[in-house]
C-alpha cells in the first residue's frame, strides 16, 4: 500500500513502424478514408440538426444507421467508429471551453490518415524476437511492427502497467502504430543538479550558460539533398503542364510523394536529435531556464502592404524558414516533461534584452554584438568579450536567479502574466 501511494500513474505514447502487406495497406487505407468520411457525415448531421435534438444517443444511432446503409463504411470497425464519435464530441467540448476552434470538414489531401483502436486488449501484442513484435489490427489480422522499446505486455502487464489502446497513423514513410501506454512509477526525488540557462538560435541550436553547446549537421546527406533538388525541379516542370483548376496528374502526385518522403526522413532525424539532446540536459541539470519566446510573432512575414512594402523580405523569409525548421517550441515541450520525470523543472523568463546585456557587468547597449558569434561590451570600465550565445544564456539564467520569471496564465496577456517571484534556490 505504501508503494502505491508513493507512485504515480503516467501515460505516454510509443510509435513504431508497421510492416504491412500490400493487401493490408489497401485495407487500412480504406479504413482511414471511412473514418474521415464518418467524421464529415457526423459534422454535417450535427450542423443541420436543431440544437435541442443534438445528443450522444442520437449521434450514436445516426452512425449505426450510416454503417448499415453505406456498404463501404462497414470496413471501419464498430469500435473505431465509436472512437470517431467520441473524438468529435470532445472537439466540440474543447471549443465550448475556449481551448480550440470549432470542428471543421476534413479534406482528403490535407488530413492525416488515421484509425483508432480504443481497446488495448484487442491488440494481443507479442514479441517475436529482438527487433520485431506482432500486433492484432481489427479486420487486418496479425501485423509485424518494429520493436524499439520494451512494452508492458504478457506477464509484465497488470492493472497499473498496460497498453490502453493504439492509433494507426500514416505519414510519407508509411503506416505506423502509436501505442497508448499507462505505467505506475515512483515519484522522482528532487534533482540535485545545477541550474542552467539555455539560449536557442539558428547558427548554434542550443547554447548553455556553462559553455556547452549542442549542435547538429544537415539532416539529409549530400546525395539526398541532390535527390531532393532534382525532385523539386521535376515537380516544378510537370506543374507547368497543369491547367488552372485541373487536378495534379498521377506522375506529379508521385513526385510529390517522393519529396514528402525525403522531408519526413529529415524530420524524423531532427526529432531523434531533439530527444537525445533534451534527455541529456534533463539528466544533468535540476533547473533549466529558457526564454519565453513568441515564435508565431517571430516568423511573421515582412512583406507589408501595397502602400507600405516591407524591407529585406527575402532575408526575413529565409530567417523564418530557419526558425521554423529548428522547432524551438517542440524542444521546450520535450524538456518540460523530461525534466519533470527526472525531478527537475523548466522555467521561462522574458526574452527581450538577453542578447544585448553584458553578463559580466550588466551593461546593456545595442550594437554590442560585433558579429553573429561575438559579443563585446561597450562599457569602458568592463570591455568583456566572448561568445554571444553563451553570453545570452548566462543572461537567461541571471533573470531566473533574480526572480524575473514569466508565469503563463489563462486569459491574461503576456505583460500581465509576467510576475516577479522568489527563486527556488539562492546560489
Amino acid at each position: 500500500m505504501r508503494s502505491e501511494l508513493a507512485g504515480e500513474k503516467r501515460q505516454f505514447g510509443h510509435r513504431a513502424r508497421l510492416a504491412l502487406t500490400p493487401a493490408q495497406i489497401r485495407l487500412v487505407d480504406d479504413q482511414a478514408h471511412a473514418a474521415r468520411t464518418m467524421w464529415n457525415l457526423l459534422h454535417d448531421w450535427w450542423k443541420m440538426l436543431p440544437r435541442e435534438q443534438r445528443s450522444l444517443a442520437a449521434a450514436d444511432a445516426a452512425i449505426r444507421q450510416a454503417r448499415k446503409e453505406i456498404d463501404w463504411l462497414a470496413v471501419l470497425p464498430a469500435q473505431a467508429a465509436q472512437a470517431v464519435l467520441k473524438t468529435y464530441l470532445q472537439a466540440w467540448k474543447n471549443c465550448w471551453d475556449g481551448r480550440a476552434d470549432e470542428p471543421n470538414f476534413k479534406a482528403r489531401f490535407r488530413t492525416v490518415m488515421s484509425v483508432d483502436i480504443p481497446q488495448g486488449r484487442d491488440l494481443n501484442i507479442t514479441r517475436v524476437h529482438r527487433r520485431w513484435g506482432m500486433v492484432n489490427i481489427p479486420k487486418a489480422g496479425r501485423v509485424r511492427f518494429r520493436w524499439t522499446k520494451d512494452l508492458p505486455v504478457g506477464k509484465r502487464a497488470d492493472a497499473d502497467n498496460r497498453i490502453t489502446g493504439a492509433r494507426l497513423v500514416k505519414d510519407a514513410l508509411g503506416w505506423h502504430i502509436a501505442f497508448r501506454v499507462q505505467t505506475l512509477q515512483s515519484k522522482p526525488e528532487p534533482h540535485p543538479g545545477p541550474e542552467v540557462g539555455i539560449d536557442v538560435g539558428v547558427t548554434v541550436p542550443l547554447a548553455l550558460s556553462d559553455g556547452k553547446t549542442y549542435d547538429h549537421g544537415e539532416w539529409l546527406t549530400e546525395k539526398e539533398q541532390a535527390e531532393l533538388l532534382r525532385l523539386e525541379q521535376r515537380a516544378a516542370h510537370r506543374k507547368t503542364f497543369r491547367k488552372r483548376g485541373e487536378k495534379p496528374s498521377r506522375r506529379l502526385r508521385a513526385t510529390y510523394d517522393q519529396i514528402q518522403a525525403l522531408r519526413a526522413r529529415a524530420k524524423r532525424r531532427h526529432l531523434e536529435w531533439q530527444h537525445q539532446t533534451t534527455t541529456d540536459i534533463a539528466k544533468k541539470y535540476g533547473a533549466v531556464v529558457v526564454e519565453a519566446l513568441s515564435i508565431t510573432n517571430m516568423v511573421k512575414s515582412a512583406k507589408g502592404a501595397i502602400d507600405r512594402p516591407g524591407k529585406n523580405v527575402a532575408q526575413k523569409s529565409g530567417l523564418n524558414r530557419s526558425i521554423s525548421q529548428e522547432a524551438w517550441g517542440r524542444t521546450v515541450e520535450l524538456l518540460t516533461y523530461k525534466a519533470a520525470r527526472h525531478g527537475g523543472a523548466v522555467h521561462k523568463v522574458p526574452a527581450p534584452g538577453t542578447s544585448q546585456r553584458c553578463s559580466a557587468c550588466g551593461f546593456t547597449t545595442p550594437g554590442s554584438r560585433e558579429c553573429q558569434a561575438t559579443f563585446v561590451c561597450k562599457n569602458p570600465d568592463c570591455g568583456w568579450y566572448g561568445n554571444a550565445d553563451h553570453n545570452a544564456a548566462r543572461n537567461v539564467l541571471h533573470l531566473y536567479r533574480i526572480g524575473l520569471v514569466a508565469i503563463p496564465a489563462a486569459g491574461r496577456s503576456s505583460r500581465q502574466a509576467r510576475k516577479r517571484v522568489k527563486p527556488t534556490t539562492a546560489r
Side-chain angles (χ1 to χ4, degrees), residues 103-378:
N104 52 17
F105 183 84
K106 289 191 175 183
R108 180 183 180 90
F109 296 106
R110 295 194 302 269
T111 303
V112 178
M113 298 180 64
S114 62
V115 181
D116 196 87
I117 306 176
Q119 295 186 0
R121 65 172 181 267
D122 296 336
L123 298 173
N124 192 18
I125 302 172
T126 57
R127 187 171 185 176
V128 180
H129 51 78
R130 183 172 61 90
R131 294 186 177 182
W132 292 95
M134 297 289 290
V135 61
N136 184 48
I137 295 179
K139 296 193 175 184
R142 302 290 290 173
V143 179
R144 291 193 308 161
F145 70 92
R146 188 72 170 175
W147 191 283
T148 57
K149 185 181 181 66
D150 289 336
L151 299 173
V153 297
K155 296 181 179 179
R156 300 179 56 184
D158 52 30
D160 297 324
N161 300 275
R162 58 193 178 91
I163 295 178
T164 59
R167 191 173 187 85
L168 306 179
V169 182
K170 187 178 183 180
D171 61 8
L173 299 178
W175 278 100
H176 299 74
I177 183 167
F179 297 105
R180 294 188 287 267
V181 186
Q182 174 184 298
T183 60
L184 181 65
Q185 296 183 353
S186 58
K187 294 184 179 180
E189 297 292 333
H191 199 296
E195 303 166 344
V196 67
I198 297 180
D199 177 68
V200 295
V202 176
T203 306
V204 180
L206 295 178
L208 276 59
S209 58
D210 58 1
K212 189 174 182 180
T213 59
Y214 289 91
D215 200 353
H216 60 75
E218 298 290 339
W219 304 120
L220 296 177
T221 63
E222 294 183 1
K223 185 177 180 180
E224 291 171 340
Q225 291 179 8
E227 178 68 13
L228 179 61
L229 178 60
R230 185 182 65 83
L231 291 172
E232 289 176 342
Q233 292 174 348
R234 177 187 294 179
H237 175 69
R238 289 177 174 174
K239 191 176 179 180
T240 58
F241 297 97
R242 188 183 66 173
K243 297 180 181 179
R244 187 171 184 178
E246 186 181 6
K247 292 184 179 180
S249 64
R250 191 175 300 176
R251 290 184 177 181
L252 182 57
R253 289 200 302 267
T255 306
Y256 284 155
D257 292 341
Q258 292 174 328
I259 293 174
Q260 290 179 359
L262 282 174
R263 290 177 177 173
R265 188 180 303 173
K267 181 180 178 181
R268 178 175 295 183
R269 291 170 182 172
H270 186 193
L271 184 60
E272 178 66 19
W273 177 84
Q274 285 182 312
H275 273 291
Q276 293 179 359
T277 302
T278 53
T279 299
D280 185 63
I281 294 175
K283 288 181 178 180
K284 290 181 179 179
Y285 302 99
V288 182
V289 188
V290 297
E291 295 174 306
L293 297 174
S294 179
I295 302 176
T296 304
N297 295 333
M298 294 176 64
V299 297
K300 282 186 177 180
S301 175
K303 290 182 179 180
I306 298 177
D307 56 344
R308 190 178 298 174
K311 299 180 180 179
N312 300 326
V313 177
Q315 293 86 337
K316 184 62 168 63
S317 177
L319 178 61
N320 292 348
R321 192 181 304 110
S322 300
I323 292 175
S324 300
Q325 290 175 352
E326 288 298 327
W328 296 337
R330 186 169 61 194
T331 301
V332 175
E333 289 180 359
L334 297 178
L335 264 176
T336 301
Y337 84 82
K338 290 185 179 182
R341 184 186 301 176
H342 291 85
V346 173
H347 307 276
K348 293 184 179 181
V349 298
T354 55
S355 61
Q356 298 178 351
R357 178 184 180 275
C358 176
S359 59
C361 67
F363 188 73
T364 303
T365 180
S368 298
R369 299 184 70 158
E370 293 288 337
C371 62
Q372 182 65 25
T374 307
F375 179 92
V376 179
C377 182
K378 300 299 183 179

Side-chain angles (χ1 to χ4, degrees), residues 21-97:
T21 63
Q24 290 174 336
I25 291 176
R26 289 192 296 270
L27 179 59
V28 179
D29 285 347
D30 293 341
Q31 291 185 6
H33 287 304
R36 180 186 59 83
T37 306
M38 184 73 71
W39 172 284
N40 293 334
L41 293 175
L42 183 62
H43 182 63
D44 292 339
W45 174 86
W46 185 273
K47 298 290 286 187
M48 290 187 301
L49 207 65
R51 290 188 176 182
E52 60 273 7
Q53 298 182 12
R54 298 173 184 174
S55 64
L56 177 62
D60 180 64
I63 283 182
R64 294 176 184 272
Q65 187 67 22
R67 295 183 74 249
K68 290 180 180 180
E69 296 180 355
I70 305 176
D71 295 338
W72 56 273
L73 284 181
V75 71
L76 185 67
Q79 294 179 352
Q82 294 296 322
V84 172
L85 172 60
K86 182 179 179 181
T87 305
Y88 183 78
L89 294 180
Q90 183 63 40
W92 274 112
K93 185 178 180 181
N94 295 338
C95 174
W96 296 331
D97 295 341

